[in-house]
Amino acid sequence: MTAMAVFAAALLLLLHPSNAQLSANFYATTCPNVSSIVQTVIQQALQSDPRITASLLRLHFHDCFVDGCDGSLLLDNSANITSEKGAAPNVNSTRGFDVVDSIKSAIESSCPGTVSCADILAIGAQASVVLSGGPSWTVLLGRRDSLTANQAGANTSIPSPFDPLANLTSKFSAVGLDTTDLVTLSGAHTFGRAQCRTFSPRLYNFTSSGPDPTINSSYLTTLQQLCPQNGSGTVLANLDPSTPNTFDNNYYANLQNNQGLFLSDQELFSTTGATTISIVNSFSGNQSAFFQNFAQSMINMGNISPLTGTNGEIRSNCRKVNGS
Ligand code: HEM
C-alpha cells in the first residue's frame, strides 16, 4: 500500500467509527462476571415466567433491526423520545422490559457505569437460548447505547407476520442479513407465544374460498377454536405446538407439516421454487446444523451497526438517556 492509500484507509476508519469491531473480552477486566449476572437474573425470572427467554430473545431482534443494536428499543416516551415501544410491531407485544431493568440494576451494583443496555440485550438473548436448550455462542460486546429512538424506523424495518417472502428477504438484506440468516433466525419461533391477531386473518376469508390453503387442516381447526372469528385478538397461541418452551429444530418440521403459525413462517417452505425450502429441509433433518447456523446468524445480527468507541453512552437506566 502506498502512504496515500494507508492515509485514505485510516481516514475511512475515522469517518466510520461504527465499523469498529465488537470483542468477546470487552468487559474482561471491567465486569468479568457480567454474563453470569445476566444468566442468574433470567434463571430467576424463568421460575415464574416460562416465556421470558423467548421474550428476551425477541427484544434483541427488535433492537438490532432499528438503527442497529443500540438499546434504542428500551427508551421510554419522554419529552424528547418517541418510544419504539409504541411502534406497531412492539405495542402490546414486546415484553420483558422489567427483567432487563432487573439485569441492569444487578450489573450496576457490581460494575457501575460500565455495561451498555444494548450489550445486556445481546447477552440476554444468548443466555435465554442456552437456558431453553439451544446452542451457546461467544457474544461479541462493546456496543454503546443510543441517545435517540426511531419509532417510524421500527414501523418500517421490523418484518410483519403478513409479509410475503420477498418483503422478508428485503427487510433482512436492508440490515446486511441474507436468506440463510432469515431462515435460520426464523427458527427462533421454536418457542414463545403469539396473539391471535398476528395470524387470525389466515384462518377466515383468506382467499375467496376460505382459509389460507397452506395451513394443515387439523392445525387449522385447533387455531380456529383458539381464535374464533369475533373473539379476542390477544389470546395466546404457542409458536411451536410440539415443544412450546424448548429451543430445538421442531420449527422446521412444523413448516414441512404446514404448521407454521405466521404467514411469514409458512412462506419459507410454501413459496413455490424458493431457495429457502432446501434450508428448511436441511435444518429439519439436522438439529446440529441448525444450532451452528443459529449461533452464527445471531452473531451476524448482533453486529448490525453498533455504536462503539465514544459514540452514544452507557445508560445508567435503560429506559432513559443519561441526564434526562
Ligand atoms: C422473519 C420475520 C419475523 C416476523 C414477521 C416475526 C413476527 C413475530 C410476531 C408477530 C410475533 C408474535 C407477537 C405477538 O403476538 O405479540 C413474534 C414472536 C416472537 N418472535 Fe418473531 N418474527 C420474525 C423474526 C424473528 C427473529 C429473527 C427472532 C429472533 C431471533 C424472533 C423471535 C421471536 C420470539 C422468541 C417470539 C415469541 C416472543 C414471546 O413469547 O414473547 N422473531 N414474532
Side-chain angles (χ1 to χ4, degrees):
M1 251 203 287
T2 65
M4 191 62 194
V6 172
F7 178 73
L11 194 69
L12 210 70
L13 271 176
L14 271 175
L15 293 175
H16 291 275
S18 62
N19 287 344
Q21 291 288 303
L22 303 175
S23 72
N25 57 4
F26 191 79
Y27 299 114
T29 56
T30 55
C31 198
N33 296 327
V34 63
S35 301
S36 66
I37 299 172
V38 173
Q39 175 144 2
T40 303
V41 176
I42 298 175
Q43 229 161 355
Q44 187 63 38
L46 254 182
Q47 307 292 314
S48 59
D49 180 2
R51 180 187 175 192
I52 191 61
T53 48
S55 304
L56 291 172
L57 173 58
R58 186 168 182 239
L59 291 187
H60 183 46
F61 162 50
H62 283 208
D63 183 34
C64 292
F65 266 58
V66 183
D67 299 339
C69 313
D70 62 355
S72 58
L73 169 64
L74 302 176
L75 291 173
D76 281 342
N77 275 326
S78 72
N80 304 312
I81 298 290
T82 305
S83 179
E84 291 172 20
K85 296 174 186 177
N90 294 326
V91 73
N92 296 322
S93 178
T94 41
R95 63 194 290 282
F97 297 108
D98 49 339
V99 176
V100 174
D101 292 339
S102 303
I103 296 170
K104 178 66 173 173
S105 33
I107 293 174
E108 287 298 298
S109 334
S110 301
C111 339
T114 305
V115 179
S116 67
C117 298
D119 277 348
I120 288 174
L121 292 183
I123 302 166
Q126 185 262 8
S128 290
V129 169
V130 170
L131 287 169
S132 305
S136 186
W137 62 92
T138 303
V139 183
L140 299 182
L141 299 166
R143 298 169 191 81
R144 291 169 63 86
D145 296 323
S146 73
L147 306 176
T148 55
N150 183 358
Q151 187 180 93
N155 278 318
T156 52
S157 305
I158 298 172
S160 147
F162 306 107
D163 274 341
L165 184 56
N167 294 17
L168 298 173
T169 52
S170 82
K171 286 175 183 177
F172 272 65
S173 95
V175 294
L177 298 178
D178 67 16
T179 305
T180 304
D181 294 311
L182 166 64
V183 178
T184 304
L185 293 172
S186 294
H189 292 167
T190 176
F191 67 167
R193 316 281 180 266
Q195 302 172 64
C196 288
R197 63 181 172 86
T198 62
F199 58 86
S200 58
R202 303 180 70 206
L203 311 179
Y204 308 99
N205 305 320
F206 180 82
T207 69
S208 53
S209 53
D212 185 336
T214 65
I215 307 179
N216 166 295
S217 64
S218 63
Y219 190 48
L220 175 66
T221 306
T222 306
L223 292 178
Q224 286 175 329
Q225 274 161 5
L226 185 71
C227 310
Q229 212 161 1
N230 291 311
S232 163
T234 63
V235 169
L236 295 175
N238 292 321
L239 274 161
D240 175 359
S242 60
T243 50
N245 298 328
T246 308
F247 195 101
D248 55 26
N249 67 335
N250 288 352
Y251 170 79
Y252 299 100
N254 295 340
L255 299 187
Q256 291 174 318
N257 297 328
N258 290 332
Q259 293 186 320
L261 187 59
F262 304 137
L263 178 83
S264 59
D265 292 318
Q266 196 58 48
E267 287 269 316
L268 303 176
F269 184 72
S270 299
T271 304
T272 310
T275 57
T276 50
I277 298 170
S278 62
I279 309 175
V280 170
N281 290 335
S282 93
F283 290 164
S284 172
N286 186 345
Q287 177 158 280
S288 65
F290 166 53
F291 278 11
Q292 266 184 24
N293 276 269
F294 193 81
Q296 183 58 54
S297 288
M298 285 298 293
I299 292 169
N300 297 344
M301 186 172 84
N303 281 335
I304 300 172
S305 35
L307 297 171
T308 55
T310 55
N311 291 324
E313 64 180 12
I314 306 298
R315 271 181 224 148
S316 51
N317 173 343
C318 292
R319 296 175 180 269
K320 293 197 283 191
V321 173
N322 291 345
S324 68

